[in-house]
């Protein structure tokens, strides 16, 4: 079954836009945190303060979607395949393949996100002079500050922030190695977490200030998000440097192909280590799941289609890539699509190999 990315709420230039289920958690937390602030500024609202807080949450969602839409549209413009836009607990992300990427294209995709928030911030600040007060003024003020913060914060040169991708592109341009850029930007992200935590927490720990639970919680959530993203970048950079020395053909499994409607008893499953399901147009649609195959009683095989034991995979998991392709190119497809499996297609669109994360991370021959 294909992984769910939440509720599909729109389509932008052919790109599906999803609202992740975790966004509900963000909405509840933001309403709980911002509601008392609204009530303090406009006490006459009473319980309606929380409705105003929810309005601010919706404005934040618009900001996130504009940010990700900017990434997606520029990625399309420079020739990348874009698979989806998702707004979720961590803000949002845009999944694209990055095939044929260059430092310039990568930098262009990265920088437009913060720039879009900068434009929204300017609009918010501009509105302040036209509003007399009350709820509209409060929302415009909060909207302007939020987008200003997001724009500046995302430009910090540390992965997983957009500024980290700009740093990655700069190192890539200078050294000729994207993986070295990823490694440098990942370590920059780790350093950022340590410095930010020290700056925000040490004055309170060594002085007379009292730490609020809200402040600690916000710092902890941001630190976990940044540290995980930075650490993943460090791992990917190291793996990429090793993988760039090997070809996809060295690790690819030789797959069998089976039509989705083919009965299970018509296939000799032991002939290949992995089997690719083909849709009615003959295109790769997923893989046969070996545990699911074993759970079907043999007597039911003649009436059970291969699709019943298949696992669909994210868009972009099957890519045209010859045996001479470098393994790091396959890893890039995994990173951009979120798929742990990549099918490699020849010039006719026929699958000739499959690489999973197990083969991808085993970047040195066994016994070396």
């Amino acid at each position: 079954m294909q992984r769910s990315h939440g509720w599909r709420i729109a389509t932008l230039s052919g790109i599906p836009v999803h609202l992740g289920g975790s966004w509900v958690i963000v909405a509840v937390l933001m309403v709980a945190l911002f509601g008392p602030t609204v009530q303090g500024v406009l006490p006459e609202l009473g319980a309606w303060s929380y409705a105003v807080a929810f309005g601010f949450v919706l404005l934040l969602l618009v900001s996130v979607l504009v940010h990700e839409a900017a990434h997606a549209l520029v990625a399309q413009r420079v020739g990348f395949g874009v698979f989806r836009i998702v707004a979720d607990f961590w803000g949002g992300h845009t999944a694209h393949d990055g095939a044929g990427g260059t430092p310039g294209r990568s930098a262009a995709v990265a920088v437009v996100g913060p720039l879009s928030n900068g434009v929204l911030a300017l609009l918010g600040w501009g509105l302040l002079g036209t509003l007399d007060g009350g709820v509209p003024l409060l929302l415009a003020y909060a909207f302007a500050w939020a987008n200003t913060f997001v724009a500046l914060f995302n430009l910090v040169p540390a992965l997983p922030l957009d500024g980290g991708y700009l740093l990655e592109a700069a190192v890539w341009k200078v050294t000729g190695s994207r993986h070295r850029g990823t490694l440098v930007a990942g370590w920059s992200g780790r350093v950022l977490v340590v410095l930010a935590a020290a700056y925000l927490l040490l004055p309170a720990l060594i002085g007379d200030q009292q730490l609020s639970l809200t402040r600690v919680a916000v710092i902890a959530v941001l630190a976990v998000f940044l540290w995980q993203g930075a650490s993943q970048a460090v791992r990917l950079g190291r793996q990429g440097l090793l993988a760039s020395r090997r070809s996809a053909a060295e690790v690819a499994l030789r797959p069998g192909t089976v039509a989705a409607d083919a009965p299970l008893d018509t296939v000799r499953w032991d002939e290949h280590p992995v089997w690719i399901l083909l849709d009615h147009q003959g295109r790769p649609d997923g893989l046969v799941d070996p545990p699911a195959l074993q759970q079907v009683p043999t007597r039911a095989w003649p009436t059970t289609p291969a699709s019943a034991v298949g696992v669909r995979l994210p868009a972009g998991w099957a890519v045209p890539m010859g045996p001479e392709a470098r393994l790091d190119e396959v890893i890039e497809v995994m990173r951009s699509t979120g798929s742990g499996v990549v099918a490699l297609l020849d010039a006719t669109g026929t699958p000739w190999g499959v690489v999973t994360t197990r083969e991808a991370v085993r970047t040195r021959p066994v016994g070396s």
Side-chain angles (χ1 to χ4, degrees):
M1 184 176 180
Q2 191 172 13
R3 177 186 171 189
S4 172
H5 299 287
W7 302 285
R8 183 166 176 166
I9 58 175
T11 300
L12 174 68
S13 188
I15 306 165
V17 181
H18 298 269
L19 184 64
S22 59
W23 183 84
V24 176
I25 301 174
V26 177
V28 171
L29 289 175
M30 291 299 297
V31 168
L33 290 172
F34 193 55
T37 300
V38 176
Q39 200 164 33
V41 175
L42 300 171
E44 67 273 13
L45 290 177
W48 284 103
S49 298
Y50 291 89
V52 174
F54 183 68
F56 173 62
V57 171
L58 293 179
L59 289 175
L60 282 182
L61 177 61
V62 170
S63 300
V64 168
L65 292 177
V66 168
H67 179 109
E68 298 304 330
H71 284 316
L73 292 176
V74 172
Q76 269 193 341
R77 179 67 177 171
V78 300
F80 296 158
V82 183
F83 310 123
R84 61 187 172 273
I85 294 170
V86 182
D88 56 18
F89 184 84
W90 298 115
H93 66 271
T94 298
H96 62 83
D97 61 12
T102 64
R105 292 176 183 175
S106 179
V109 173
V111 76
V112 292
L115 287 180
S116 67
N117 289 115
V119 171
L120 292 178
L122 290 175
L123 290 174
W125 293 119
L127 277 175
L128 294 182
T130 66
L131 301 172
D132 294 330
V135 172
L137 180 63
L138 179 62
L139 288 178
Y141 186 76
F143 180 77
W145 266 114
N147 277 283
T148 300
F149 171 79
V150 170
L152 295 176
F153 182 65
N154 265 285
L155 287 173
V156 174
L159 283 174
L161 303 175
D162 291 327
Y165 290 103
L166 293 175
L167 175 60
E168 177 191 69
V171 176
W172 181 6
K173 179 69 175 179
V174 171
T175 66
S177 170
R178 180 172 192 171
H179 310 299
R180 199 168 302 282
T182 303
L183 191 61
V184 170
W187 274 108
S188 179
R190 285 179 166 179
V191 171
L192 169 67
V193 173
V194 173
L195 292 179
Y199 175 77
L200 294 170
L201 297 178
L202 279 182
L205 294 176
I206 63 178
D208 296 330
Q209 300 178 27
Q210 189 171 4
L211 283 172
S212 70
L213 184 60
T214 300
R215 183 179 185 183
V216 172
V218 170
I219 294 172
V221 169
L222 285 175
V224 168
F225 164 64
L226 292 173
W227 186 268
Q228 287 180 341
S231 297
Q232 183 183 28
V234 170
R235 288 193 298 270
L236 287 171
R238 287 172 176 166
Q239 290 173 7
L241 286 172
L242 292 172
S244 63
R245 303 166 191 162
R246 306 193 67 195
S247 70
E250 291 182 66
V251 300
L253 303 173
R254 305 304 174 190
T257 58
V258 56
D261 58 355
L264 296 183
D265 67 333
T266 63
V267 183
R268 298 186 61 177
W269 298 105
D270 58 345
E271 289 186 346
H272 295 278
V274 61
W275 286 82
I276 294 177
L277 285 172
L278 303 179
D279 63 18
H280 66 282
Q281 294 181 329
R283 297 174 303 191
D285 192 42
L287 293 181
V288 171
D289 182 23
L293 181 66
Q294 295 168 8
Q295 291 173 10
V296 180
T298 306
R299 65 180 181 276
W301 280 29
T303 58
T304 304
S307 59
V309 292
V311 178
R312 296 189 65 193
L313 294 169
W317 79 284
V319 293
M321 197 173 286
E324 71 286 350
R326 298 194 315 268
L327 181 57
D328 61 326
E329 296 177 84
V330 180
I331 293 176
E332 178 60 30
V333 174
M334 291 179 175
R335 178 168 74 166
S336 60
T337 62
S339 175
V341 181
V342 174
L344 309 174
L345 313 179
D346 63 20
T348 66
T350 302
W352 65 266
V354 168
V355 178
T356 70
T357 50
R358 179 180 298 179
E359 290 79 42
V361 299
R362 190 182 294 160
T363 51
R364 296 186 183 278
V366 177
S368 65

